[in-house]
């Protein structure tokens, strides 16, 4: 089995918690999926865009508002490891909680109002797959970049129809490995409230995402 899911988006980190800071910081990634390909080519056909024409930029540049497929990964940092000492700046490794979840959504008719700051707009449409995500992030402070590796195991899925084809992630990708890359977080001008009433954030009280970062990569089927 072969499948590659391409995505890009933004991540958000709890205010006051840095890559090398205390354990317990909450984070969330909000992604646009712009490619899904299997061994025999794109799942929905050659040259079929996963982005609708939102009417604002034509075919040259499309915004997250145009995405038919979105994803959200939410979790909490539980453990840090550093390879630095007082003579050398090394790497920071972060392990994330076993309650981390990746959820993929299908929006049949994007209405052009989706925005990274609006969490509900990334959950619009049909929830088509939920994965348990075992995530580790490796930060290079000197370079201001990080890499993330995630093992994703499907917990539940719902078949959906797009481009005349019925697809179920249980058949397409029962397990996946993610490799993604991003840059160091920067301050948000207006912090965003953490949805502490929802899993996996429901064991902690109110808080805010005070920083954001760009991130993108791919998920590959793990056989």
């Amino acid at each position: 089995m072969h499948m590659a899911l391409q995505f890009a988006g933004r991540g958000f980190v709890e205010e006051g918690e840095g890559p090398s800071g205390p354990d317990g910081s909450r984070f969330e990634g909000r992604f646009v999926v712009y490619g899904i390909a299997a061994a025999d080519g794109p799942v929905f056909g050659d040259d079929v865009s996963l982005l609708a024409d939102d009417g604002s930029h034509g075919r040259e540049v499309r915004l997250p508002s145009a995405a038919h497929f979105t994803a959200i990964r939410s979790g909490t940092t539980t453990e840090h490891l550093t390879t630095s000492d007082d003579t050398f700046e090394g790497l920071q490794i972060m392990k994330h909680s076993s309650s981390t979840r990746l959820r993929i959504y299908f929006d049949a008719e994007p209405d052009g109002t989706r925005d990274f700051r609006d969490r509900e707009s990334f959950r619009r449409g049909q929830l088509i797959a939920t994965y348990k995500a075992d995530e580790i992030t490796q930060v290079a402070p000197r370079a201001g970049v990080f890499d993330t590796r995630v093992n994703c195991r499907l917990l539940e899925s719902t078949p959906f129809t797009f481009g005349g084809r019925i697809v179920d992630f249980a058949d397409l990708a029962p397990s996946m490995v993610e490799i993604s890359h991003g840059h160091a977080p920067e301050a948000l001008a207006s912090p965003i409230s953490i949805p502490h009433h929802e899993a996996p954030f429901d064991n902690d009280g109110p808080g805010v995402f005070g920083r954001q970062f760009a991130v993108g990569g791919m998920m590959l089927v793990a056989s």
Side-chain angles (χ1 to χ4, degrees):
M1 181 182 294
H2 168 82
M3 194 278 294
L5 185 151
Q6 308 279 349
F7 67 92
R10 293 187 202 175
F12 299 90
V13 181
E14 188 164 11
E15 180 71 47
E17 305 295 342
S20 59
D23 297 336
S25 60
R26 291 170 284 187
F27 64 89
E28 183 164 274
R30 299 170 189 175
F31 308 106
V32 168
V33 177
Y34 58 87
I36 305 177
D40 56 352
V43 169
F44 302 105
D46 292 339
D47 301 322
V48 174
S49 178
L50 303 188
L51 305 174
D53 183 355
D54 62 8
S56 61
H57 290 268
R59 294 187 62 84
E60 289 77 19
V61 179
R62 295 186 180 180
L63 301 175
S65 59
H68 284 292
F69 296 90
T70 59
I72 296 178
R73 187 167 67 249
S74 312
T76 304
T77 301
T78 59
E79 189 174 26
H80 287 80
L81 166 70
T82 182
T83 63
S84 301
D85 59 28
D86 57 2
T87 66
F88 178 76
E89 185 174 38
L91 300 176
Q92 306 290 342
I93 315 300
M94 296 182 292
K95 184 177 180 181
H96 306 301
S97 66
S98 60
S99 63
T100 300
R101 294 293 182 268
L102 168 70
R103 295 178 173 88
I104 303 175
Y105 298 84
F106 168 59
D107 185 352
E109 297 182 358
D111 64 6
T113 63
R114 183 178 293 113
D115 183 272
F116 281 110
R117 294 181 55 87
D118 182 358
R119 186 176 195 257
E120 290 307 307
S121 71
F122 272 76
R123 305 204 305 174
R124 191 173 296 145
Q126 179 184 4
L127 175 61
I128 57 176
T130 300
Y131 289 84
K132 179 180 183 295
D134 295 318
E135 178 175 354
I136 293 178
T137 301
Q138 180 172 289
V139 182
R142 183 182 299 179
V145 298
F146 68 87
D147 294 286
T148 296
R149 290 88 169 183
V150 191
N151 291 324
C152 298
R153 178 171 55 86
L154 185 68
L155 298 177
E156 56 184 352
S157 65
T158 300
F160 65 96
T161 302
F162 178 69
R165 179 173 179 180
I166 300 174
V167 173
D168 189 336
F169 270 77
D171 301 320
L172 186 66
S175 60
M176 298 188 292
V177 173
E178 174 189 327
I179 302 173
S180 56
H181 181 78
H183 63 58
E186 59 189 60
L188 268 168
S190 300
I192 302 171
S193 295
I194 295 174
H196 64 278
H197 56 287
E198 297 178 12
F201 303 136
D202 51 351
N203 290 328
D204 298 299
V208 295
F209 294 127
R211 296 178 299 153
Q212 65 180 342
F213 53 89
V215 60
M218 68 170 63
M219 300 179 190
L220 304 173
V221 165
S223 58

